[in-house]
């Protein structure tokens, strides 16, 4: 096994004619995907709490419902859809590294780090174990997606994991939609039932350790002291950092060989750059914009290949599974918090 | 030894992850004489002509991009001397 094969999938040589043909064939579909990405971002900015990635996949599925019925039309945009995925997913993942918060990670209370790592690992293992029970009987790849979505970072983690897990577009869409439904319910549960029982710092740790999407962690912590708010987000960023370990492990389970995607290496590098290199605000904002459009466009391309009828038919059992694991995670948190001074 | 069915299975499974099983299997099953399981495995009928037919079906879907995807999906199987016994369609060389 060569060193290059650890970081790169098989590479294909492109001739000049290949490149010209790809550009010519892909323009329409690529433009469609980018347009849907921008539209999803706009919608998420208008509708509070509506994750742009989920909006993108739903828009993609809606458009697919119209286009997909006519194969001749769908074939015109399919090359661009496929090309968009191969461009935007790696780019989005690399730039997502700006959320890595390396300084926070290195300064973290070791016990909090142990707690977050433990809950993340526990979430993933439970998702896979319970998901194989008779009533659920979900496929391994779907369970890995759900595991990443719940254990790590919601929609972004699912977007990052789906090409590595090699699941169908329908499954990615199911995981994304369910993750969003679950986080809404999870936020309601912890803010109404558990908030009165916990100190501010404990509540922040809970929100950061368990809620699936960063936007909802921010919503949970809104109105609290600045230090408490920052602490909760720091806990959340610890989960993002665990992608660095969890992705190679899952890659190994699926591919049966060591595989660390090249864009994961750049993701880590981006984390260090954004943590330690002083960058102009305009640069950070530009990177954020590129990252946002990359991910929304990538998820729009996934939605364009997913079937909305099949997706809605598959939502229930995975949602129940996410709920069961969330409750068990809550129990683990409530026990483990007694050993930690936040 | 590498078989045509191995190459065809790798191609179909990769297409499933990109365009979904419904479309990937629909076009794979258009190749005459080929039997494809629901998980994308080619269980019978795989030969040089069938591989060429499969390539044409997916090429109709997504043109040069599809050819690049098919090449990348079989590249790991063809490393070293693997596959020297198989005649590949022009698009996959």
């Amino acid at each position: 096994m060569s060193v290059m094969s650890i970081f790169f999938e098989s590479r294909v040589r492109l001739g000049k004619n290949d490149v010209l043909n790809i550009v010519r064939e892909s323009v329409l579909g690529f433009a469609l995907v980018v347009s849907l990405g921008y539209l999803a971002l706009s919608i998420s900015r208008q509708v509070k709490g509506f994750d742009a990635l989920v909006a993108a996949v739903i828009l993609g599925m809606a458009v697919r419902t119209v286009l997909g019925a006519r194969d001749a039309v769908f074939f015109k945009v399919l090359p661009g859809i496929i090309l968009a995925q191969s461009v935007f997913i790696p780019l989005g993942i690399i730039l997502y590294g700006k959320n890595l918060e390396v300084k926070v990670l290195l300064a973290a209370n070791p016990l909090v780090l142990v707690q977050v790592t433990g809950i993340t690992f526990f979430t993933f293992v439970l998702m896979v174990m319970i998901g194989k029970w008779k009533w659920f009987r979900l496929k391994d790849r779907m369970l890995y997606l759900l595991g990443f979505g719940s254990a790590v970072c919601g929609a972004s983690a699912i977007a990052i994991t789906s090409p590595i897990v090699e699941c169908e577009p329908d499954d990615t869409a199911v995981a994304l939609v369910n993750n969003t439904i679950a986080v809404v319910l999870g936020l309601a549960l912890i803010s109404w039932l558990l908030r009165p029982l916990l100190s501010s710092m404990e509540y922040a740790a809970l929100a950061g350790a368990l809620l699936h999407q960063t936007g909802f962690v921010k919503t949970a912590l809104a109105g609290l002291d600045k230090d408490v708010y920052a602490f909760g987000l720091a806990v959340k960023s610890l989960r993002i950092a665990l992608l660095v370990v969890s992705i190679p492990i899952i890659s190994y389970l699926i591919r049966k060989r060591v595989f660390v995607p090249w864009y994961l290496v750049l993701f880590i590098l981006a984390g260090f750059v954004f943590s330690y290199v002083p960058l102009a605000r305009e640069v950070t904002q530009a990177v954020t914009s590129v990252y946002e459009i990359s991910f929304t466009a990538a998820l729009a391309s996934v939605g364009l290949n997913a079937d909305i009828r099949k997706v809605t038919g598959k939502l229930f059992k995975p949602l129940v599974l996410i709920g069961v694991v969330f409750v068990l995670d809550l129990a683990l948190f409530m026990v483990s918090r007694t050993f930690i001074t936040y | 030894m590498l078989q045509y069915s191995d190459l065809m299975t790798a191609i179909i499974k990769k297409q499933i992850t990109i365009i979904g099983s419904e479309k990937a299997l629909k076009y794979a099953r258009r190749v005459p004489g080929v039997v494809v399981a629901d998980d994308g495995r080619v269980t019978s009928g795989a030969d040089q002509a069938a591989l060429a037919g499969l390539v044409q079906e997916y090429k109709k879907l997504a043109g040069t991009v599809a050819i690049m995807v098919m090449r990348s999906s079989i590249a790991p199987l063809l490393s070293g001397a693997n596959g020297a016994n198989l005649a590949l369609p022009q698009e996959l060389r």
Side-chain angles (χ1 to χ4, degrees):
Chain A
M1 184 176 67
S2 70
V3 171
M4 294 299 276
S5 68
I6 294 174
F7 301 105
F8 294 93
E9 301 267 29
S10 49
R11 289 170 298 162
V12 173
R13 283 208 193 99
L14 290 176
K16 187 182 167 188
N17 282 341
D18 292 331
V19 172
L20 290 174
N21 285 338
I22 287 171
V23 169
R24 184 175 46 82
E25 291 164 6
S26 304
V27 164
L28 199 59
F30 203 87
L32 173 64
V33 164
V34 172
S35 303
L36 290 178
Y38 269 113
L39 183 58
L41 271 174
S42 303
I43 291 171
S44 75
R45 283 169 188 154
Q46 303 296 323
V47 180
K48 194 182 166 188
F50 193 17
D51 188 278
L53 301 186
V54 179
V57 97
I58 291 173
L59 277 174
M61 287 195 289
V63 171
R64 154 73 187 263
T65 304
V66 172
L67 290 181
R70 300 167 186 78
D71 275 357
V73 175
F74 189 67
F75 293 168
K76 291 237 182 293
V77 295
L78 186 57
I81 294 170
I82 296 172
L83 183 67
Q85 276 189 26
S86 61
V87 167
F88 286 126
I89 288 178
L91 184 58
I93 291 169
I94 291 166
L95 297 178
Y96 191 63
K98 74 174 188 53
N99 298 314
L100 208 42
E101 303 278 4
V102 176
K103 279 185 187 170
V104 163
L105 183 63
L106 295 175
N109 177 343
L111 286 178
V112 172
L113 192 53
V114 169
Q115 183 189 44
V116 170
T117 305
I119 291 175
T120 301
F121 177 73
F122 187 68
T123 302
F124 202 88
V125 168
L126 280 180
M127 197 71 77
V128 174
M129 279 176 50
I130 300 176
K132 292 190 179 189
W133 287 359
K134 203 173 172 187
W135 188 77
F136 292 104
R137 252 191 245 160
L138 296 170
K139 291 183 285 188
D140 280 355
R141 290 166 198 249
M142 169 61 102
L143 293 174
Y144 296 153
L145 271 188
L146 296 177
F148 271 99
S150 290
V152 179
C153 191
S156 305
I158 292 168
I160 289 167
T161 315
S162 67
I164 292 163
V165 169
E166 294 180 342
C167 55
E168 288 195 49
D170 286 352
D171 292 340
T172 305
V174 165
L176 276 165
V177 171
N178 271 339
N179 188 270
T180 299
I181 297 171
V183 76
V184 170
L185 297 173
L187 174 62
L189 180 68
I190 70 166
S191 58
W192 291 344
L193 285 179
L194 293 177
R195 177 70 187 94
L197 305 175
L198 302 170
S199 69
S200 293
M201 290 294 275
E202 285 175 335
Y203 177 69
L206 173 67
L210 259 63
L211 289 181
H212 304 139
Q213 296 179 12
T214 305
F216 282 84
V217 174
K218 289 180 180 175
T219 302
L221 302 177
L224 296 178
D225 282 349
K226 201 172 143 188
D227 289 344
V228 175
Y229 186 89
F231 173 68
L233 288 182
V235 171
K236 184 67 167 78
S237 75
L238 291 178
R239 290 162 72 188
I240 297 171
L242 290 171
L243 276 173
V244 171
V245 173
S246 50
I247 285 179
I249 292 174
I250 288 303
S251 278
Y252 184 79
L253 289 175
I254 289 172
R255 289 173 168 74
K256 311 293 182 217
R257 65 177 181 90
V258 175
F259 179 66
V260 179
W262 60 272
Y263 41 84
L264 188 66
V265 177
L266 293 180
F267 161 84
I268 299 166
L269 189 63
F272 276 93
V273 167
F274 279 90
S275 292
Y276 290 105
V277 175
L279 294 168
R281 194 158 170 249
E282 293 79 11
V283 170
T284 310
Q285 282 177 341
V287 168
T288 301
S289 298
V290 173
Y291 145 73
E292 285 179 340
I293 194 61
S294 294
F295 259 153
T296 51
L299 270 297
S301 69
V302 170
L304 283 163
N305 276 321
D307 185 329
I308 199 166
R309 290 162 300 180
K310 286 188 181 169
V311 168
T312 49
K314 287 183 186 180
L315 286 177
F316 182 64
K317 284 187 179 179
L319 183 59
V320 171
L321 176 61
I322 293 171
V324 166
V325 171
F326 186 79
V327 169
L328 293 171
D329 280 343
L330 271 177
L332 178 62
F333 178 87
M334 296 303 280
V335 167
S336 60
R337 73 177 173 106
T338 58
F339 300 99
I340 301 172
T341 306
Y342 293 101
Chain B
M1 194 168 23
L2 196 64
Q3 314 265 358
Y4 283 109
S5 57
D6 299 320
L7 297 181
M8 292 176 71
T9 297
I11 288 171
I12 296 168
K13 286 191 171 188
K14 185 65 178 178
Q15 293 294 335
I16 286 174
T17 68
I18 296 172
I19 63 174
S21 54
E22 187 184 339
K23 278 202 160 34
L25 293 175
K26 176 182 169 185
Y27 286 91
R29 286 169 175 158
R30 284 188 177 181
V31 179
V34 169
V35 178
V36 185
D38 288 346
D39 64 353
R41 276 177 310 115
V42 173
T43 55
S44 72
D47 57 22
Q48 184 182 348
L51 176 61
L54 183 70
V55 168
Q56 292 307 312
E57 289 295 337
Y58 287 140
K59 188 179 170 184
K60 274 187 248 173
L61 275 181
T64 312
V65 170
I67 293 171
M68 296 300 125
V69 169
M70 286 190 275
R71 281 190 199 166
S72 71
S73 63
I74 65 171
L77 301 176
L78 297 174
S79 58
N82 283 344
N85 55 310
L86 303 176
L88 298 179
Q90 178 65 35
E91 289 91 344
L92 296 185
R93 288 182 209 151

